[in-house]
Amino acid sequence: MAFTLTSPAFSNGAVMPQAQVYSGMGQTGKNLSPPLQWEGAPAGTKSFVVTLYDPDAPTGSGWWHWVVANIPADVTSLPEGAGSGKGGLPQGALEVRTDFGVPGYGGAAPPPGHVHRYVFTVTALDVPKLEVTADSSPALAGFMAHHHRLASAQLTVLYGSGAKSP
């Protein structure tokens, strides 16, 4: 079975729903982290990391919107709002700082005029936890996850002026 990531809120290539769009910076969304589900993790998986990254942000290095580390291996989903303070993060899971400067989910908020890709990734790891804190950078969490990666699955949605679902 292939390792896959899905959401009941949207499909791969679709436009991000307003519920998942940032509330601020000119955006009028609800800033709710989406419900996510994954299956087919490889044998030996001891934990997961879930991230949301915008490779099209005009920063030279993209923009990290969400990083959740230390998700136990027996967890295969996150409910809507889990990263938005609504509850539902599994015991032991840890959100690290995003490029908004604080831990937690930060939805789409691109500058006007451009469509951006928002890439949700779940990564299966060979360790039960990463040595990160809530103040760790997304780059550090990504670096550590890369070195313990067994497999990853992605789901990409679009948001911005002119974004259209397939």
Side-chain angles (χ1 to χ4, degrees):
M1 173 185 281
F3 189 32
T4 59
L5 175 62
T6 59
S7 176
F10 46 75
S11 60
N12 196 54
V15 173
M16 182 180 280
Q18 281 300 115
Q20 279 70 56
V21 173
Y22 195 70
S23 178
M25 295 173 59
Q27 304 299 325
T28 59
K30 294 183 179 177
N31 204 45
L32 291 173
S33 61
L36 297 172
Q37 305 164 329
W38 53 93
E39 63 182 4
T45 298
K46 294 183 179 172
S47 69
F48 297 100
V49 172
V50 169
T51 62
L52 173 57
Y53 177 70
D54 171 4
D56 303 313
T59 64
S61 61
W63 190 273
W64 290 97
H65 286 259
W66 194 29
V67 180
V68 185
N70 305 339
I71 300 170
D74 63 347
V75 173
T76 58
S77 66
L78 294 176
E80 183 175 67
S84 308
K86 305 289 184 191
L89 280 180
Q91 186 172 2
L94 173 71
E95 293 176 296
V96 305
R97 183 171 38 93
T98 67
D99 286 336
F100 288 103
V102 295
Y105 177 83
H114 297 91
V115 175
H116 286 227
R117 295 167 291 158
Y118 294 87
V119 182
F120 291 89
T121 303
V122 60
T123 303
L125 305 175
D126 65 0
V127 292
K129 76 183 264 189
L130 293 178
E131 296 300 322
V132 294
T133 68
D135 196 44
S136 294
S137 71
L140 176 62
F143 176 82
M144 295 177 78
H146 174 79
H147 287 286
H148 293 286
R149 179 188 176 279
L150 295 172
S152 294
Q154 294 186 326
L155 178 61
T156 301
V157 292
L158 308 173
Y159 191 76
S161 189
K164 296 178 183 163
S165 290

